[in-house]
Amino acid sequence: MDNGTLYALLYVEINLVAVILVGIIGVKANGMSKMVAQRNFTMSIGAEILFFLSDTLYVMSVNGVIPQSGAFTMVMKTIYFFSTTLMCYFWFVYFEYMQESPFVENRRRVRISSILVWIMGALLIINVFTGILFYVDEDGYHRGKLFLIQYVLSYAYVLVTCARALVGVFQKSKIAKRKLLILLALFPIAPGIAGIVQFLYPSVPLAAAALSIATLLMYLNWTDQVISVDPLTRLNNRKRLLHSFEMWQNSPEDRSVMYLLMVDADKFKSINDTYGHIEGDAALIRIADALRLACAEYYRKTSISRYGGDEFAVLAWADVSDGAERVRGLEGNIQKHLEALNDEANTPYRVSVSIGIARSESGDTLEKLIARADGLLYEAKRR
């Protein structure tokens, strides 16, 4: 077996693993949700598989594993470049939905944004007759004069939406989505580096591996959001609260003490009754943002969860020596940030919270700890 055949088989193995991986992700994603955002996610995976398969068949052809012909090479490369643009477009729309961008609220704008896909399709048809992008002759495949435009049209989609995500990371109004925005902003780095390397050294099969791993990370993030994140406030849910508590309990080497802050909105029903449920949701998000801002300033680890309704739970780790004082400082910061967010929102109502704080004792279950903190919470409400 010659070197070309060995290389082709290695290339096929790498791409085949990538196809199987993203194929499984596509099936799982399609079965979990029918939301528009996730439909774009699964369509991007379909384009990704087409991208992998066309690339694989091309490499097998030029290395003699399957019969080679100029027409076959032209078809495979045409599919390869069109699927690249299509894949980037679907990633673009998906990322915009994930960022809750106003752009996707208008379906007409979304359709218009597909213009680069249509331009690429038209250029690839013209290319068959002119070879301006690439051509095939008796010596094989060659890049044309406008070869780079294929990458410009494709990657423009991803660069625009990832740049928007990066800007959002530093916006105070998007603090609830900061973790997701960081992931979206970093998404193109590994595939981009792999694509550049493969562009410069076409014999190095990195693109499929890097792209499939990036897709897997996006899928894992999505499933994590579905399983453990409250959809309104983007805080942890009760399942994650229990997980954090049990992780601390099962780490005997952790010498810190744990405090639980139960945080409850004051007179929340009156906000809902007077201003409607949309304003009620906005009030809950305001409390969640105040908790995030205060915990970001806390000197040790915290875990914030929406416990249910208008009640929140914060697990705060502290040193044995000054834990109570530190946690009281955290309580004060929550109130301070909530007041600042009330001023910023300038609504006809002000959101306030009552807080009960309990220290975890030996043998505590989470239920016992919550019961003690709840008792102190309602004492605070009566005061």
Side-chain angles (χ1 to χ4, degrees), residues 30-335:
N30 192 48
M32 285 179 67
S33 173
K34 297 299 179 186
M35 294 182 350
V36 175
Q38 302 310 326
R39 288 205 298 271
N40 281 279
F41 180 82
T42 54
M43 285 189 285
S44 74
I45 286 177
E48 203 171 316
I49 290 173
L50 197 60
F51 167 86
F52 292 150
L53 291 177
S54 58
D55 187 40
T56 303
L57 291 171
Y58 164 74
V59 170
M60 292 173 69
S61 172
V62 297
N63 286 279
V65 177
I66 60 175
Q68 180 180 8
S69 72
F72 183 80
T73 299
M74 181 64 75
V75 169
M76 288 301 104
K77 279 297 182 179
T78 299
I79 294 173
Y80 174 85
F81 286 114
F82 186 71
S83 61
T84 301
T85 309
L86 202 59
M87 174 178 62
C88 290
Y89 168 70
F90 286 130
W91 278 122
F92 164 76
V93 178
Y94 174 66
F95 281 21
E96 291 296 298
Y97 272 110
M98 295 299 287
Q99 296 180 63
E100 298 177 1
S101 166
F103 172 81
V104 292
E105 293 174 3
N106 187 316
R107 294 291 182 86
R108 185 170 177 269
R109 282 195 301 237
V110 175
R111 288 195 294 269
I112 291 173
S113 69
S114 68
I115 186 65
L116 297 184
V117 178
W118 296 103
I119 291 173
M120 175 61 86
L123 286 174
L124 288 168
I125 292 171
I126 294 170
N127 179 72
V128 173
F129 305 100
T130 63
I132 56 172
L133 302 176
F134 60 87
Y135 60 93
V136 181
D137 58 20
E138 60 277 5
D139 296 323
Y141 166 80
H142 305 279
R143 295 170 178 175
K145 293 179 180 179
L146 300 181
F147 178 79
L148 283 176
I149 200 171
Q150 298 169 113
Y151 289 93
V152 173
L153 291 175
S154 298
Y155 297 149
Y157 281 123
V158 176
L159 291 175
V160 167
T161 192
C162 290
R164 287 161 62 92
L166 184 61
V167 170
V169 169
F170 302 99
Q171 293 177 342
K172 188 177 179 181
S173 61
K174 296 184 178 180
I175 187 172
K177 296 189 276 296
R178 185 163 291 168
K179 182 179 177 182
L180 172 64
L181 292 172
I182 291 172
L183 179 64
L184 296 180
L186 295 178
F187 173 82
I189 292 179
I193 292 172
I196 292 170
V197 172
Q198 195 159 331
F199 174 80
L200 298 173
Y201 305 98
S203 62
V204 181
L206 289 179
L211 187 54
S212 59
I213 291 171
T215 304
L216 176 62
L217 291 176
M218 289 301 304
Y219 173 72
L220 293 175
N221 174 76
W222 174 42
T223 55
D224 184 61
Q225 298 286 316
V226 171
I227 293 168
S228 62
V229 175
D230 172 60
L232 175 65
T233 62
R234 314 303 296 172
L235 296 175
N236 295 327
N237 59 18
R238 289 173 69 165
K239 181 178 179 180
R240 180 65 72 172
L241 173 68
L242 177 61
H243 175 75
S244 297
F245 180 80
E246 289 178 343
M247 287 288 288
W248 175 79
Q249 269 196 328
N250 296 326
S251 300
E253 70 280 0
D254 189 345
R255 301 302 178 189
S256 63
V257 292
M258 177 189 284
Y259 288 82
L260 172 67
L261 292 79
M262 293 301 294
V263 182
D264 190 76
D266 296 327
K267 300 179 181 178
F268 179 71
K269 187 176 183 300
S270 67
I271 296 175
N272 267 337
D273 293 345
T274 307
Y275 302 102
H277 289 284
I278 292 177
E279 281 299 323
D281 288 348
L284 294 175
I285 292 170
R286 198 180 306 170
I287 295 170
D289 287 344
L291 294 174
R292 285 190 190 89
L293 291 167
C295 288
E297 298 171 352
Y298 187 66
Y299 80 118
R300 292 200 65 168
K301 180 183 175 184
T302 58
S303 176
I304 319 168
S305 306
R306 184 182 179 190
Y307 188 69
D310 58 343
E311 194 168 18
F312 301 81
V314 179
L315 291 176
W317 285 255
D319 293 332
V320 176
S321 58
D322 60 352
E325 181 183 348
R326 295 275 195 170
V327 173
R328 287 295 175 192
L330 173 60
E331 178 188 15
N333 276 345
I334 291 170
Q335 302 286 11

